[in-house]
Amino acid sequence: MLIEIADRSGFCFGVERAIKLTEESADKYGEVWTLGPLIHNRIVTDSLQKQGIKIADEVAQAAGKPLVIRSHGVTEETENEARALCSVCIDATCPFVKKIHKIVSEQPEDSAVIILGDKTHPEVIGIKGHARCRVFVCADFEEIRGLYEHKALSPDEDVALVIQTTFDRGSFLGYSEDIRKCYNRVKIYDTICNATSERQKNAEELAKRAALMIVVGGKSSSNTGKLAEICARHCTTVFVENAEELPKQLLKGLRSDSIIGITAGASTPAYTIKEVHDSMNEEIKNINEIEEDFAALLEQDQSFTRLYNGKRVKATVVSISKKEAVVEVGAKQTGYIVRDELTNDPNAEVADVVKVGDVIDAIVIKVDDSVGTAALSKKRVDAALGMEKIAASKEANETLEGAVTAAVKGGVIVIANGTRVFIPASQTGVPRSGKLEDLVKKTVQFKVIEIDERRGRVVGSIRQANKEVRDAEKAKFWESIEVGQKFEGEVRSIEDYGVFVDIGAVDGLVRTSELTWNRVGHPKDIVSIGDKITVIVKSYDPEKKRVSLSAKDPDENPWTKFVADYAVDDVIKATVVSITEFGAFAQIIPGVDGLIHISQISTDRITNIASVLAVGQEVDVKIIDIDTEKSRVSLSIKALMEESAPAEDADAE
Ligand code: F3S
């Protein structure tokens, strides 16, 4: 707010002159009297009284003493009386008023004088007392016209019109033409004091710009009252005699850029104007201080985060308990997040989710200023962020990981990125005979197969994720498989012709003959489902996705041992292990059987092998051939029989 003092406020030339003359007289004569208050301002007159200047209600009261005639002037009669009775008559009548006295006194006796002004005002009374003709005092044009209408004055009379020095010039100019129309021979003397008109003009200009005008001056001062009247046409106006009379909370409701105008009547001393000015200044200062304090408070307040429902904040965990985490969010309120708002995982403890010092994203869900707390939620932020990530993952066909938190009707719930994901039972990978509960608390990988962001619903598939993993493993397997590659496999199934072994990406077939170096009756005699066995790739077909395996350890190959230890013509013992139409197989060492062809069983002709040999029977045989390429051994009983026959014959001879 700005305080502006109107130009020409306060003492006018005439008042200043009167006060100066009075004070000088007081200095000169010691005791001085004024005829009535020197000016219409109690403060000034009180001050003068303190200087020993006394007020006389009538001239006789100051008889023999120096008497000051005030600036308003007095009647000619009073003036003469003062000169006659008082020791000194100091005429402090304002020269502008004196001029009016002169105009009026010079009017012919058969003429008339109209004084436009306040008939009770001492100035007007004094003016009136200088006329030698008829005098009419009119307050306004209506009263002037009234003189004409009531035939107090005729239109052709000589009329002199003078105006009280402090009359509002604007009002006078408004009807001066009308006056001329009423009276043909009127002489209008514009005796309005420029000091007054300029004061009024300045006050009015200021009032038009101001939000509030303070008019300072004596309540009985006509010119001050006039100023208040003019100002009140344009803005809120208060009329005070001094600073003490300023109403309380005068500035209440005014804008901070308001102008506070001050004007003062001609009889208002500068120090009273200053007091009012200082008082207003003080009040503005107070307001500014309050506003500054408020602004500071506001600023201080703004250094805190303003919390409202739905606001997302960074929260620092300051303490945790079983039920909640207390967080600092830079607000006036103490933030807290109850366990259920920390995570969607019903199995998680507060300490599983956050620890002291963690900075987390949270959303305000309830502010309670009455107790200074703010309830927040982490899981809702996580869910929102999670939903975005999940949508992006689906778009990118990524595999997500999450913890299974519960088995529900028709499936399981997985929490991933803070979001609940429903995995239908058919997509869990758990067989019908299995239990979904077994998945709870396990970390699983899944693919997102359906999202309903509006309902916050996400459906996933563990099966699909597993399938992708398997497909990838298979692809990698077929890219890297080699004959001779060794695998640790698990027997998956047993058939009559062999066993299928899981070697990771695929199941390979180990034919019965490849299960062991030894002779095998049925695969189940060697292995059981679930057995872990070492296998070697014998061959593979990427097109048909088939792999032939062997469980035989090359280092244990009995043929190698056989060729190292045995040679053609060696006579050895062998055990018959099977009999066929074309001969009998006899085991030389485990894993190496030799064939005793039907023609090599005896020197006699044999038609029924079983009549001469039996399975399990140990026989002496001679190795007659070793086919290293085909790993075949030919044995002969007959060769031994022939070798021994001549000797027997010789003995007989
Ligand atoms: Fe004189 Fe004008 Fe003041 S008439 S007393 S100077 S207002």
Side-chain angles (χ1 to χ4, degrees):
M1 292 182 201
L2 184 71
I3 301 175
E4 218 177 290
I5 299 176
D7 288 344
R8 313 291 174 122
S9 296
F11 286 168
C12 64
F13 154 75
V15 169
E16 202 162 352
R17 176 175 169 271
I19 291 171
K20 191 177 170 212
L21 283 172
T22 306
E23 287 175 337
E24 283 174 357
S25 300
D27 285 346
K28 188 173 177 183
Y29 304 112
E31 182 184 352
V32 172
W33 291 70
T34 62
L35 189 56
L38 191 62
I39 56 174
H40 288 153
N41 190 297
R42 187 175 47 79
I43 295 162
V44 177
T45 51
D46 286 352
S47 166
L48 290 171
Q49 271 184 316
K50 282 177 191 159
Q51 293 177 55
I53 297 163
K54 298 174 181 170
I55 300 171
D57 293 328
E58 53 187 29
V59 175
Q61 207 176 339
K65 309 288 182 190
L67 180 72
V68 176
I69 294 173
R70 57 191 181 174
S71 59
H72 301 124
V74 292
T75 63
E76 188 177 11
E77 187 185 348
T78 304
E79 199 178 315
N80 291 337
E81 188 186 3
R83 291 191 193 285
L85 292 178
C86 299
S87 61
V88 183
C89 178
I90 303 124
D91 189 358
T93 305
C94 174
F96 297 120
V97 177
K98 270 283 187 205
K99 185 179 155 194
I100 303 173
H101 291 177
K102 186 166 182 289
I103 292 168
V104 169
S105 65
E106 287 174 354
Q107 298 307 311
E109 288 182 7
D110 58 349
S111 68
V113 168
I114 298 174
I115 305 171
L116 185 59
D118 177 1
K119 62 181 170 216
T120 63
H121 194 275
E123 181 191 325
V124 174
I125 294 169
I127 293 169
K128 195 177 171 187
H130 284 269
R132 292 177 173 77
C133 58
R134 289 174 298 161
V135 181
F136 302 93
V137 180
C138 297
D140 53 28
F141 173 67
E142 293 307 314
E143 286 187 16
I144 294 172
R145 192 168 57 186
L147 294 174
Y148 164 73
E149 287 173 352
H150 294 103
K151 297 189 171 35
L153 280 174
S154 76
D156 294 323
E157 278 195 73
D158 287 326
V159 176
L161 185 137
V162 294
I163 311 161
Q164 187 180 344
T165 54
T166 53
F167 199 85
D168 175 20
R169 186 183 291 280
S171 302
F172 162 68
L173 293 175
Y175 43 74
S176 65
E177 276 308 302
D178 292 330
I179 294 170
R180 290 185 198 285
K181 285 176 190 166
C182 291
Y183 302 101
N184 300 324
R185 299 159 68 87
V186 67
K187 284 189 214 158
I188 297 176
Y189 297 90
D190 181 356
T191 52
I192 297 173
C193 172
N194 274 346
T196 301
S197 61
E198 281 182 19
R199 186 195 320 278
Q200 290 170 354
K201 191 173 140 204
N202 290 339
E204 185 163 31
E205 280 173 359
L206 181 54
K208 286 177 182 171
R209 294 186 283 112
L212 170 72
M213 281 298 293
I214 300 168
V215 180
V216 190
K219 291 289 165 58
S220 56
S221 163
S222 145
N223 76 88
T224 313
K226 202 77 196 169
L227 280 176
E229 187 189 314
I230 292 168
C231 292
R233 292 177 201 149
H234 302 288
C235 67
T236 303
T237 301
V238 291
F239 185 178
V240 294
E241 207 155 87
N242 52 36
E244 288 172 12
E245 288 186 4
L246 285 166
K248 300 275 180 226
Q249 297 191 314
L250 191 55
L251 304 179
K252 194 176 176 188
L254 297 187
R255 289 174 24 175
S256 58
D257 58 351
S258 297
I259 292 174
I260 316 299
I262 297 177
T263 188
S267 52
T268 308
Y271 60 79
T272 303
I273 300 172
K274 186 173 182 305
E275 276 175 11
V276 170
H277 176 271
D278 289 350
S279 179
M280 293 309 300
N281 217 14
E282 198 60 34
E283 191 159 342
I284 289 173
K285 240 166 79 182
N286 288 341
I287 287 175
N288 284 345
E289 276 172 13
I290 289 168
E291 283 180 353
E292 276 166 18
D293 288 350
F294 183 71
L297 273 175
L298 204 62
E299 198 176 311
Q300 191 183 2
D301 196 39
Q302 281 169 349
S303 70
F304 288 115
T305 302
R306 287 178 183 279
L307 298 185
Y308 50 84
N309 292 356
K311 181 178 177 64
R312 269 176 69 163
V313 292
K314 288 276 181 201
T316 304
V317 180
V318 293
S319 70
I320 58 173
S321 66
K322 211 167 172 52
K323 286 167 59 184
E324 64 187 22
V326 177
V327 294
E328 168 59 47
V329 292
K332 288 184 293 188
Q333 298 85 352
T334 300
Y336 67 94
I337 308 173
V338 295
R339 200 213 67 86
D340 284 350
E341 289 296 338
L342 275 170
T343 173
N344 269 322
D345 185 352
N347 306 309
E349 300 287 337
V350 172
D352 295 335
V353 186
V354 290
K355 61 181 187 300
V356 173
D358 280 357
V359 178
I360 57 173
D361 288 309
I363 191 166
V364 179
I365 54 177
K366 188 182 177 191
V367 178
D368 189 341
D369 280 329
S370 64
V371 289
T373 58
L376 295 103
S377 172
K378 176 181 185 297
K379 76 173 186 183
R380 299 187 198 192
V381 173
D382 291 346
L385 289 172
M387 188 62 90
E388 288 171 20
K389 284 183 186 169
I390 282 172
S393 299
K394 182 174 187 295
E395 196 67 28
N397 193 32
E398 289 174 350
T399 298
L400 293 174
E401 192 173 273
V404 180
T405 59
V408 295
K409 190 180 175 190
V412 295
I413 300 298
V414 174
I415 302 297
N417 294 321
T419 304
R420 280 166 59 95
V421 179
F422 175 66
I423 312 280
S426 62
Q427 297 297 321
T428 58
V430 176
R432 280 180 187 277
S433 56
K435 289 196 296 185
L436 293 176
E437 285 75 10
D438 291 344
L439 275 181
V440 175
K441 295 190 179 178
K442 286 187 177 160
T443 299
V444 295
Q445 293 196 318
F446 65 93
K447 305 291 284 188
V448 177
I449 56 176
E450 187 186 322
I451 293 180
D452 185 339
E453 287 192 45
R454 193 175 55 80
R455 293 167 60 196
R457 187 167 179 268
V458 181
V459 180
S461 170
I462 297 172
R463 239 177 88 183
Q464 217 174 83
N466 290 344
K467 181 177 178 300
E468 271 198 15
V469 171
R470 282 197 306 274
D471 288 349
E473 286 173 352
K474 281 180 185 173
K476 192 175 169 191
F477 173 84
W478 290 114
E479 280 173 13
S480 60
I481 189 170
E482 288 176 358
V483 170
Q485 200 172 348
K486 197 183 271 187
F487 291 94
E488 293 300 317
E490 183 180 323
V491 177
R492 287 282 186 191
S493 62
I494 301 175
E495 309 295 338
D496 290 340
Y497 51 88
V499 298
F500 285 96
V501 177
D502 176 4
I503 54 172
V506 299
D507 288 351
L509 174 63
V510 183
R511 292 195 172 276
T512 305
S513 60
E514 292 296 331
L515 276 172
T516 173
W517 290 109
N518 298 324
R519 183 169 289 274
V520 178
H522 195 277
K524 65 186 176 192
D525 298 336
I526 305 295
V527 294
S528 301
I529 291 175
D531 280 357
K532 301 283 192 297
I533 60 172
T534 302
V535 292
I536 295 166
V537 177
K538 284 191 71 188
S539 64
Y540 60 92
D541 186 340
E543 296 293 315
K544 294 180 180 173
K545 310 291 184 202
R546 286 180 184 169
V547 182
S548 291
L549 303 169
S550 172
K552 294 176 178 173
D553 184 349
D555 292 340
E556 296 297 319
N557 191 340
W559 182 258
T560 307
K561 189 172 182 316
F562 170 77
V563 295
D565 295 343
Y566 295 89
V568 173
D569 291 337
D570 282 354
V571 176
I572 59 173
K573 287 190 181 299
T575 304
V576 177
V577 291
S578 67
I579 294 173
T580 66
E581 286 181 359
F582 54 88
F585 284 97
Q587 185 187 72
I588 303 166
I589 58 174
V592 179
D593 295 344
L595 173 64
I596 310 170
H597 192 265
I598 192 169
S599 61
Q600 293 296 323
I601 292 174
S602 175
T603 50
D604 298 327
R605 178 180 163 79
I606 302 294
T607 54
N608 181 10
I609 297 172
S611 63
V612 289
L613 290 175
V615 172
Q617 180 184 349
E618 188 179 75
V619 290
D620 291 323
V621 291
K622 185 177 186 178
I623 299 171
I624 57 174
D625 188 42
I626 297 175
D627 185 341
T628 51
E629 278 190 19
K630 294 181 181 174
S631 301
R632 288 179 183 170
V633 183
S634 295
L635 303 173
S636 177
I637 298 171
K638 180 184 164 184
L640 291 178
M641 291 171 79
E642 286 173 344
E643 284 175 9
S644 61
E648 285 173 4
D649 290 343
D651 290 344
E653 286 171 3

